[in-house]
Amino acid sequence: MHILLTGVTGYIGRRLLNSLLDEGHSLTCCVRNRKRAGFLNEFGNNVQVIETDFSTPIDLDSLEVNTVDAAYFLIHSLKSNLE
């Protein structure tokens, strides 16, 4: 199964990543900063990394969502609304 995973650099996302890979899934992981996700390189072709920021409008075609069977959306905004 091909799974889209956001929030992979967080506590839960990193653990979910390992579980999904152990089950044999291929993953597309969305990260805000590719430098923080360097650990994903060790998984080779099983993990595709896309650098994107969901706080701004994005082109969903760039995420290749047509090939995704399931998605885990594990991100939240820590941005203050008081700006």
Side-chain angles (χ1 to χ4, degrees):
M1 191 183 305
H2 182 201
I3 298 174
L4 178 70
L5 177 60
T6 66
V8 70
T9 59
Y11 180 82
I12 294 171
R14 199 175 280 208
R15 279 141 189 85
L16 180 58
L17 166 82
N18 290 322
S19 294
L20 293 171
L21 288 172
D22 287 346
E23 291 177 5
H25 301 293
S26 64
L27 302 174
T28 296
C29 297
C30 297
V31 298
R32 275 186 302 188
N33 185 336
R34 191 178 290 270
K35 292 178 185 175
R36 288 190 59 210
F39 66 94
L40 294 172
N41 295 332
E42 69 185 73
F43 300 109
N45 293 334
N46 292 326
V47 175
Q48 175 188 7
V49 179
I50 296 175
E51 189 173 51
T52 188
D53 185 349
F54 284 99
S55 67
T56 60
I58 62 168
D59 177 13
L60 290 180
D61 289 337
S62 68
L63 300 181
E64 299 178 19
V65 291
N66 293 333
T67 65
V68 170
D69 299 304
Y72 290 91
F73 189 77
L74 302 175
I75 58 176
H76 58 85
S77 175
L78 296 176
K79 187 176 178 180
S80 171
N81 290 332
L82 302 176
E83 294 178 11

Coordinates of all heavy atoms in Angstrom, one line a residue:
M1 N 0.8 -1.2 0.0 CA 0.0 0.0 0.0 C 0.9 1.2 0.0 O 1.9 1.3 0.6 CB -0.9 0.0 1.2 CG -2.0 1.0 1.2 SD -3.1 1.2 2.6 CE -3.7 -0.4 2.9
H2 N 0.5 2.3 -0.7 CA 1.2 3.5 -0.7 C 0.5 4.5 0.2 O -0.7 4.8 0.1 CB 1.2 4.1 -2.2 CG 2.0 5.4 -2.3 ND1 1.8 6.3 -3.3 CD2 3.0 5.9 -1.5 CE1 2.6 7.3 -3.1 NE2 3.3 7.1 -2.0
I3 N 1.3 5.0 1.2 CA 0.7 5.9 2.3 C 1.4 7.2 2.3 O 2.6 7.3 2.2 CB 0.9 5.2 3.6 CG1 0.1 3.8 3.6 CG2 0.4 6.1 4.8 CD1 0.3 3.0 4.8
L4 N 0.6 8.3 2.4 CA 1.0 9.6 2.6 C 1.1 9.9 4.1 O 0.1 9.7 4.8 CB 0.1 10.6 1.9 CG 0.4 12.1 2.1 CD1 1.6 12.4 1.2 CD2 -0.8 13.0 1.6
L5 N 2.3 10.4 4.6 CA 2.5 10.6 6.0 C 3.0 12.0 6.2 O 4.0 12.4 5.6 CB 3.5 9.6 6.6 CG 3.9 9.7 8.0 CD1 2.7 9.6 8.9 CD2 4.9 8.6 8.4
T6 N 2.3 12.8 7.0 CA 2.7 14.1 7.4 C 3.1 14.1 8.8 O 2.6 13.2 9.6 CB 1.6 15.2 7.1 OG1 0.5 15.0 8.0 CG2 1.2 15.2 5.7
G7 N 3.9 14.9 9.3 CA 4.3 15.0 10.7 C 5.3 13.9 11.1 O 5.5 13.5 12.2
V8 N 6.1 13.4 10.1 CA 7.0 12.3 10.3 C 8.2 12.7 11.2 O 8.8 11.8 11.8 CB 7.5 11.7 8.9 CG1 8.4 12.7 8.2 CG2 8.2 10.4 9.1
T9 N 8.5 14.0 11.4 CA 9.6 14.3 12.2 C 9.2 14.5 13.7 O 10.0 14.7 14.5 CB 10.2 15.7 11.8 OG1 9.2 16.7 11.8 CG2 10.8 15.5 10.4
G10 N 7.9 14.3 13.9 CA 7.4 14.4 15.3 C 7.5 13.0 16.0 O 7.8 12.0 15.4
Y11 N 7.2 13.0 17.3 CA 7.2 11.8 18.1 C 6.4 10.7 17.6 O 6.9 9.6 17.4 CB 6.8 12.2 19.5 CG 6.9 11.0 20.5 CD1 8.1 10.6 21.1 CD2 5.8 10.2 20.8 CE1 8.2 9.5 21.9 CE2 5.8 9.2 21.6 CZ 7.0 8.8 22.2 OH 7.1 7.7 23.0
I12 N 5.1 10.9 17.3 CA 4.2 9.9 16.9 C 4.5 9.5 15.4 O 4.6 8.3 15.0 CB 2.8 10.3 17.0 CG1 2.4 10.4 18.5 CG2 1.8 9.3 16.4 CD1 1.1 11.0 18.8
G13 N 4.8 10.5 14.6 CA 5.0 10.3 13.2 C 6.2 9.4 12.9 O 6.2 8.5 12.1
R14 N 7.3 9.6 13.7 CA 8.5 8.8 13.5 C 8.3 7.4 13.9 O 8.8 6.4 13.2 CB 9.6 9.4 14.4 CG 11.0 8.9 13.9 CD 12.1 9.6 14.7 NE 12.4 10.9 14.1 CZ 13.5 11.5 14.2 NH1 14.6 10.9 14.8 NH2 13.7 12.7 13.8
R15 N 7.5 7.1 14.9 CA 7.2 5.7 15.3 C 6.2 5.1 14.3 O 6.4 3.9 14.0 CB 6.6 5.7 16.7 CG 7.8 5.8 17.7 CD 7.5 6.6 18.9 NE 8.6 6.8 19.8 CZ 9.6 7.8 19.6 NH1 9.4 8.6 18.5 NH2 10.6 7.9 20.3
L16 N 5.3 5.8 13.8 CA 4.3 5.3 12.8 C 5.1 4.9 11.6 O 4.8 3.9 10.9 CB 3.2 6.3 12.5 CG 2.2 5.9 11.5 CD1 1.5 4.6 11.9 CD2 1.2 7.0 11.3
L17 N 6.0 5.8 11.2 CA 6.9 5.5 10.0 C 7.5 4.1 10.1 O 7.4 3.3 9.2 CB 8.0 6.6 9.9 CG 9.1 6.2 8.9 CD1 8.8 6.6 7.5 CD2 10.4 7.0 9.4
N18 N 8.1 3.8 11.2 CA 8.8 2.5 11.4 C 7.8 1.4 11.3 O 8.0 0.3 10.7 CB 9.6 2.5 12.7 CG 10.8 3.4 12.7 OD1 11.4 3.5 11.7 ND2 11.0 4.0 13.8
S19 N 6.6 1.5 11.9 CA 5.6 0.5 11.9 C 5.1 0.2 10.5 O 4.9 -0.9 10.1 CB 4.4 0.9 12.8 OG 4.8 0.9 14.1
L20 N 4.8 1.3 9.7 CA 4.3 1.2 8.4 C 5.4 0.5 7.5 O 5.0 -0.3 6.6 CB 3.9 2.5 7.8 CG 2.7 3.2 8.5 CD1 2.5 4.6 8.0 CD2 1.5 2.4 8.3
L21 N 6.6 0.9 7.6 CA 7.7 0.3 6.8 C 7.8 -1.2 7.2 O 8.1 -2.1 6.3 CB 9.0 1.0 7.0 CG 9.0 2.4 6.3 CD1 10.3 3.1 6.7 CD2 8.9 2.3 4.8
D22 N 7.8 -1.5 8.5 CA 7.9 -2.9 8.9 C 6.8 -3.8 8.3 O 6.9 -5.0 8.0 CB 7.8 -3.0 10.4 CG 9.1 -2.6 11.1 OD1 10.1 -2.4 10.4 OD2 9.0 -2.4 12.3
E23 N 5.6 -3.2 8.0 CA 4.5 -3.9 7.4 C 4.6 -4.0 5.9 O 3.8 -4.5 5.2 CB 3.2 -3.2 7.8 CG 2.8 -3.4 9.2 CD 1.6 -2.6 9.6 OE1 0.9 -2.0 8.8 OE2 1.3 -2.6 10.8
G24 N 5.6 -3.3 5.3 CA 5.9 -3.4 3.9 C 5.3 -2.4 3.0 O 5.3 -2.5 1.8
H25 N 4.8 -1.3 3.6 CA 4.2 -0.2 2.8 C 5.3 0.7 2.2 O 6.4 0.8 2.8 CB 3.3 0.6 3.7 CG 2.2 -0.1 4.3 ND1 1.2 -0.7 3.6 CD2 2.0 -0.5 5.6 CE1 0.3 -1.3 4.4 NE2 0.8 -1.2 5.6
S26 N 5.0 1.4 1.1 CA 5.8 2.5 0.6 C 5.2 3.8 1.1 O 4.0 3.9 1.2 CB 5.9 2.4 -0.9 OG 4.6 2.6 -1.5
L27 N 6.0 4.8 1.4 CA 5.6 6.0 2.0 C 6.0 7.2 1.2 O 7.1 7.3 0.6 CB 6.1 6.2 3.4 CG 5.8 5.1 4.4 CD1 6.5 5.3 5.7 CD2 4.3 5.0 4.6
T28 N 5.1 8.2 1.1 CA 5.5 9.6 0.7 C 5.4 10.4 2.0 O 4.3 10.5 2.6 CB 4.5 10.1 -0.4 OG1 4.7 9.3 -1.5 CG2 4.9 11.5 -0.7
C29 N 6.5 11.0 2.4 CA 6.5 11.8 3.7 C 6.6 13.3 3.3 O 7.5 13.7 2.6 CB 7.7 11.4 4.5 SG 7.5 9.7 5.1
C30 N 5.7 14.1 3.8 CA 5.8 15.5 3.7 C 6.4 16.2 4.9 O 6.0 15.9 6.0 CB 4.3 16.1 3.5 SG 3.5 15.5 2.1
V31 N 7.4 17.0 4.6 CA 8.2 17.7 5.7 C 8.3 19.1 5.3 O 8.3 19.5 4.2 CB 9.6 17.0 5.9 CG1 9.5 15.6 6.3 CG2 10.4 17.2 4.6
R32 N 8.3 20.0 6.4 CA 8.6 21.4 6.1 C 10.0 21.7 5.8 O 10.3 22.6 5.1 CB 8.2 22.2 7.4 CG 6.7 22.6 7.4 CD 6.5 23.5 8.6 NE 6.9 22.8 9.8 CZ 6.7 23.2 11.0 NH1 6.1 24.3 11.3 NH2 7.2 22.5 12.1
N33 N 10.9 20.9 6.5 CA 12.3 21.2 6.3 C 13.1 19.9 6.1 O 13.2 19.0 7.0 CB 12.9 21.9 7.6 CG 14.3 22.3 7.5 OD1 15.1 21.7 6.7 ND2 14.7 23.3 8.3
R34 N 13.6 19.7 4.9 CA 14.2 18.4 4.5 C 15.4 18.1 5.4 O 15.8 17.0 5.6 CB 14.6 18.5 3.0 CG 15.1 17.2 2.4 CD 15.4 17.3 1.0 NE 14.3 17.6 0.1 CZ 13.5 16.6 -0.4 NH1 13.9 15.4 -0.3 NH2 12.5 16.9 -1.2
K35 N 16.1 19.2 5.9 CA 17.3 19.0 6.7 C 16.9 18.3 8.0 O 17.7 17.5 8.6 CB 17.9 20.3 7.0 CG 18.6 21.0 5.8 CD 19.2 22.3 6.2 CE 19.7 23.0 4.9 NZ 20.2 24.3 5.2
R36 N 15.7 18.6 8.6 CA 15.3 17.9 9.8 C 14.9 16.5 9.6 O 14.7 15.7 10.5 CB 14.1 18.7 10.4 CG 14.5 20.0 11.0 CD 13.3 20.6 11.8 NE 12.9 19.7 12.9 CZ 11.7 19.6 13.4 NH1 10.7 20.4 12.9 NH2 11.4 18.8 14.4
A37 N 14.7 16.1 8.3 CA 14.2 14.7 8.0 C 15.3 13.9 7.4 O 15.1 12.9 6.6 CB 13.0 14.8 7.1
G38 N 16.6 14.2 7.6 CA 17.7 13.5 7.1 C 17.7 12.0 7.4 O 18.2 11.2 6.6
F39 N 17.1 11.7 8.5 CA 17.0 10.3 8.9 C 16.2 9.4 7.9 O 16.3 8.2 7.9 CB 16.4 10.1 10.3 CG 15.0 10.5 10.4 CD1 14.0 9.6 10.3 CD2 14.6 11.9 10.6 CE1 12.6 10.0 10.4 CE2 13.3 12.2 10.7 CZ 12.3 11.3 10.6
L40 N 15.4 10.0 7.1 CA 14.6 9.3 6.1 C 15.4 8.7 5.0 O 15.0 7.8 4.3 CB 13.5 10.2 5.5 CG 12.4 10.7 6.5 CD1 11.5 11.7 5.9 CD2 11.6 9.5 7.0
N41 N 16.6 9.2 4.8 CA 17.5 8.7 3.7 C 17.9 7.3 3.9 O 18.1 6.6 3.0 CB 18.8 9.6 3.7 CG 18.5 11.0 3.2 OD1 17.5 11.3 2.5 ND2 19.3 11.9 3.7
E42 N 17.9 6.8 5.2 CA 18.3 5.4 5.4 C 17.3 4.4 4.9 O 17.6 3.2 4.8 CB 18.5 5.2 6.9 CG 17.2 5.2 7.8 CD 17.5 5.1 9.3 OE1 18.0 6.1 9.8 OE2 17.2 4.1 9.8
F43 N 16.1 4.8 4.5 CA 15.0 3.9 4.1 C 15.0 3.7 2.6 O 14.2 2.9 2.1 CB 13.7 4.3 4.6 CG 13.6 4.4 6.1 CD1 13.5 5.6 6.7 CD2 13.6 3.2 6.9 CE1 13.5 5.7 8.1 CE2 13.6 3.3 8.2 CZ 13.5 4.5 8.9
G44 N 15.9 4.4 1.9 CA 16.0 4.2 0.4 C 14.8 4.5 -0.4 O 14.1 5.5 -0.1
N45 N 14.5 3.6 -1.3 CA 13.4 3.8 -2.2 C 12.0 3.6 -1.6 O 11.0 3.8 -2.2 CB 13.5 2.8 -3.4 CG 14.7 3.2 -4.3 OD1 15.1 4.3 -4.3 ND2 15.3 2.2 -4.9
N46 N 11.9 3.1 -0.4 CA 10.6 2.9 0.3 C 10.0 4.2 0.8 O 8.8 4.2 1.1 CB 10.8 1.9 1.5 CG 11.1 0.5 1.0 OD1 10.7 0.1 0.0 ND2 11.9 -0.2 1.8
V47 N 10.8 5.2 0.8 CA 10.3 6.5 1.3 C 10.7 7.6 0.4 O 11.8 7.8 0.0 CB 10.9 6.8 2.7 CG1 10.5 8.2 3.2 CG2 10.5 5.8 3.7
Q48 N 9.6 8.3 -0.1 CA 9.8 9.5 -0.9 C 9.6 10.7 0.0 O 8.6 10.7 0.8 CB 8.8 9.5 -2.1 CG 8.9 10.8 -2.9 CD 7.7 10.9 -3.9 OE1 6.8 10.1 -3.9 NE2 7.8 11.9 -4.7
V49 N 10.4 11.7 -0.1 CA 10.3 12.9 0.7 C 9.9 14.1 -0.1 O 10.5 14.4 -1.2 CB 11.6 13.2 1.5 CG1 11.5 14.5 2.3 CG2 12.1 12.0 2.3
I50 N 8.9 14.8 0.3 CA 8.4 16.0 -0.3 C 8.5 17.2 0.7 O 7.9 17.1 1.7 CB 7.0 15.9 -0.9 CG1 6.9 14.8 -2.0 CG2 6.5 17.2 -1.4 CD1 5.5 14.5 -2.5
E51 N 9.2 18.2 0.3 CA 9.3 19.4 1.2 C 8.2 20.3 0.8 O 8.1 20.8 -0.3 CB 10.7 20.1 1.0 CG 10.9 21.1 2.0 CD 12.4 21.7 1.9 OE1 12.8 22.0 0.8 OE2 13.0 21.7 2.9
T52 N 7.3 20.6 1.8 CA 6.2 21.5 1.6 C 5.7 22.0 2.9 O 6.0 21.5 4.0 CB 5.0 20.7 0.9 OG1 4.0 21.6 0.5 CG2 4.4 19.6 1.8
D53 N 5.0 23.1 2.8 CA 4.5 23.8 4.0 C 3.0 23.9 3.9 O 2.5 24.6 3.1 CB 5.1 25.2 4.2 CG 4.7 25.9 5.5 OD1 3.8 25.4 6.2 OD2 5.4 26.9 5.8
F54 N 2.3 23.1 4.7 CA 0.8 23.1 4.7 C 0.1 24.4 5.2 O -1.1 24.5 5.2 CB 0.3 21.9 5.4 CG 0.4 20.6 4.6 CD1 1.5 19.7 4.9 CD2 -0.4 20.3 3.5 CE1 1.7 18.6 4.1 CE2 -0.3 19.2 2.8 CZ 0.8 18.3 3.1
S55 N 0.9 25.3 5.7 CA 0.3 26.6 6.2 C 0.1 27.5 5.1 O -0.5 28.6 5.3 CB 1.2 27.2 7.3 OG 2.4 27.7 6.7
T56 N 0.5 27.2 3.9 CA 0.3 28.0 2.7 C -0.4 27.1 1.6 O -0.3 25.9 1.7 CB 1.6 28.5 2.1 OG1 2.4 27.5 1.8 CG2 2.3 29.4 3.1
P57 N -1.1 27.7 0.7 CA -1.8 26.9 -0.4 C -0.7 26.1 -1.1 O 0.4 26.6 -1.4 CB -2.4 27.9 -1.3 CG -2.6 29.1 -0.4 CD -1.5 29.1 0.6
I58 N -1.1 24.8 -1.4 CA -0.1 24.0 -2.2 C -0.9 23.4 -3.4 O -2.1 23.3 -3.4 CB 0.5 22.8 -1.3 CG1 -0.7 21.9 -0.8 CG2 1.3 23.4 -0.2 CD1 -0.2 20.6 -0.2
D59 N -0.1 22.9 -4.3 CA -0.6 22.2 -5.5 C -0.7 20.7 -5.1 O 0.4 20.0 -5.0 CB 0.3 22.4 -6.7 CG -0.1 21.6 -7.9 OD1 -1.2 21.1 -7.9 OD2 0.7 21.6 -8.8
L60 N -1.9 20.1 -5.0 CA -2.0 18.7 -4.6 C -1.4 17.8 -5.6 O -1.0 16.7 -5.2 CB -3.5 18.4 -4.3 CG -4.1 19.1 -3.1 CD1 -5.5 18.7 -2.9 CD2 -3.3 18.7 -1.8
D61 N -1.3 18.2 -6.8 CA -0.7 17.3 -7.8 C 0.7 17.0 -7.5 O 1.2 15.9 -7.8 CB -0.8 17.9 -9.2 CG -2.2 17.9 -9.8 OD1 -3.0 17.1 -9.3 OD2 -2.5 18.8 -10.6
S62 N 1.4 17.9 -6.8 CA 2.8 17.7 -6.5 C 2.9 16.6 -5.4 O 4.0 16.0 -5.2 CB 3.5 19.0 -5.9 OG 2.9 19.4 -4.7
L63 N 1.9 16.3 -4.7 CA 1.9 15.2 -3.7 C 1.6 13.9 -4.3 O 1.6 12.9 -3.6 CB 0.9 15.5 -2.6 CG 1.1 16.8 -1.8 CD1 0.1 17.0 -0.7 CD2 2.5 16.9 -1.2
E64 N 1.2 13.8 -5.6 CA 0.9 12.6 -6.2 C -0.2 11.8 -5.4 O -0.1 10.6 -5.2 CB 2.1 11.7 -6.4 CG 3.2 12.4 -7.3 CD 4.4 11.5 -7.4 OE1 4.4 10.3 -7.2 OE2 5.5 12.1 -7.7
V65 N -1.2 12.5 -5.0 CA -2.3 11.9 -4.2 C -3.1 10.9 -5.0 O -3.8 10.1 -4.4 CB -3.2 13.0 -3.6 CG1 -2.5 13.8 -2.5 CG2 -3.8 13.9 -4.6
N66 N -3.0 10.9 -6.3 CA -3.7 9.9 -7.1 C -3.2 8.5 -6.8 O -3.9 7.5 -7.1 CB -3.7 10.2 -8.6 CG -4.5 11.5 -8.9 OD1 -5.4 11.8 -8.2 ND2 -4.1 12.1 -9.9
T67 N -2.0 8.3 -6.4 CA -1.4 7.0 -6.1 C -1.4 6.6 -4.6 O -0.9 5.6 -4.3 CB 0.1 7.0 -6.6 OG1 0.9 7.9 -5.8 CG2 0.2 7.4 -8.1
V68 N -2.0 7.5 -3.8 CA -2.0 7.2 -2.4 C -3.3 6.4 -2.0 O -4.4 6.7 -2.4 CB -2.0 8.5 -1.6 CG1 -2.3 8.3 -0.1 CG2 -0.7 9.3 -1.8
D69 N -3.0 5.3 -1.2 CA -4.1 4.5 -0.7 C -4.7 4.9 0.6 O -5.8 4.7 0.9 CB -3.6 3.0 -0.6 CG -3.2 2.5 -2.0 OD1 -4.0 2.5 -2.9 OD2 -2.0 2.0 -2.1
A70 N -3.8 5.5 1.4 CA -4.2 6.0 2.7 C -3.3 7.2 3.1 O -2.2 7.3 2.6 CB -4.1 4.9 3.8
A71 N -3.8 8.0 4.1 CA -3.0 9.1 4.5 C -3.1 9.3 6.1 O -4.2 9.0 6.6 CB -3.4 10.4 3.8
Y72 N -2.0 9.7 6.7 CA -2.0 10.0 8.1 C -1.6 11.5 8.2 O -0.5 11.9 7.7 CB -1.0 9.2 8.9 CG -1.4 7.7 9.0 CD1 -1.0 6.8 8.1 CD2 -2.2 7.3 10.1 CE1 -1.4 5.5 8.2 CE2 -2.6 6.0 10.2 CZ -2.2 5.1 9.2 OH -2.5 3.8 9.4
F73 N -2.5 12.3 8.7 CA -2.2 13.8 8.8 C -1.9 14.1 10.3 O -2.8 14.2 11.1 CB -3.5 14.5 8.3 CG -3.3 16.0 8.2 CD1 -2.6 16.5 7.1 CD2 -3.8 16.9 9.1 CE1 -2.4 17.9 6.9 CE2 -3.6 18.2 9.0 CZ -2.9 18.7 7.9
L74 N -0.6 14.1 10.6 CA -0.2 14.3 12.0 C 0.5 15.6 12.2 O 1.4 15.7 13.0 CB 0.8 13.1 12.3 CG 0.2 11.7 12.2 CD1 1.3 10.7 12.5 CD2 -0.9 11.5 13.1
I75 N 0.0 16.7 11.6 CA 0.6 18.0 11.8 C -0.4 18.9 12.4 O -1.6 18.7 12.3 CB 1.2 18.6 10.5 CG1 0.1 18.7 9.4 CG2 2.3 17.8 10.0 CD1 0.6 19.4 8.2
H76 N 0.1 19.9 13.1 CA -0.8 20.9 13.7 C 0.0 22.2 13.6 O 1.2 22.3 13.4 CB -1.1 20.6 15.2 CG 0.1 20.4 16.0 ND1 0.7 21.5 16.6 CD2 0.8 19.3 16.3 CE1 1.7 21.1 17.3 NE2 1.9 19.7 17.2
S77 N -0.7 23.3 13.9 CA -0.1 24.6 13.8 C 0.1 25.1 15.2 O -0.7 25.1 16.1 CB -1.1 25.6 13.1 OG -0.5 26.9 13.1
L78 N 1.4 25.6 15.4 CA 1.7 26.2 16.7 C 1.8 27.7 16.5 O 2.2 28.4 17.4 CB 3.1 25.7 17.1 CG 3.2 24.2 17.4 CD1 4.6 23.8 17.8 CD2 2.3 23.8 18.6
K79 N 1.4 28.2 15.4 CA 1.4 29.6 15.1 C 0.3 30.3 15.9 O -0.8 29.8 16.0 CB 1.1 29.8 13.6 CG 1.3 31.2 13.1 CD 1.1 31.3 11.6 CE 1.2 32.7 11.1 NZ 1.1 32.8 9.7
S80 N 0.6 31.4 16.5 CA -0.3 32.2 17.3 C -1.3 33.0 16.4 O -0.9 33.5 15.3 CB 0.5 33.1 18.2 OG -0.4 34.0 18.8
N81 N -2.5 33.0 16.8 CA -3.5 33.9 16.0 C -3.5 35.3 16.5 O -4.3 36.1 16.0 CB -4.9 33.3 16.2 CG -5.1 32.0 15.5 OD1 -4.4 31.7 14.5 ND2 -5.9 31.2 16.0
L82 N -2.5 35.6 17.4 CA -2.5 37.0 17.9 C -1.6 37.9 17.1 O -1.4 39.0 17.5 CB -1.9 36.9 19.4 CG -2.7 36.0 20.3 CD1 -2.0 36.0 21.7 CD2 -4.1 36.6 20.5
E83 N -1.1 37.5 16.0 CA -0.2 38.3 15.2 C -0.9 39.5 14.5 O -2.0 39.5 14.2 CB 0.4 37.5 14.1 CG 1.3 36.4 14.7 CD 1.9 35.6 13.6 OE1 1.8 35.9 12.4 OE2 2.5 34.6 13.9

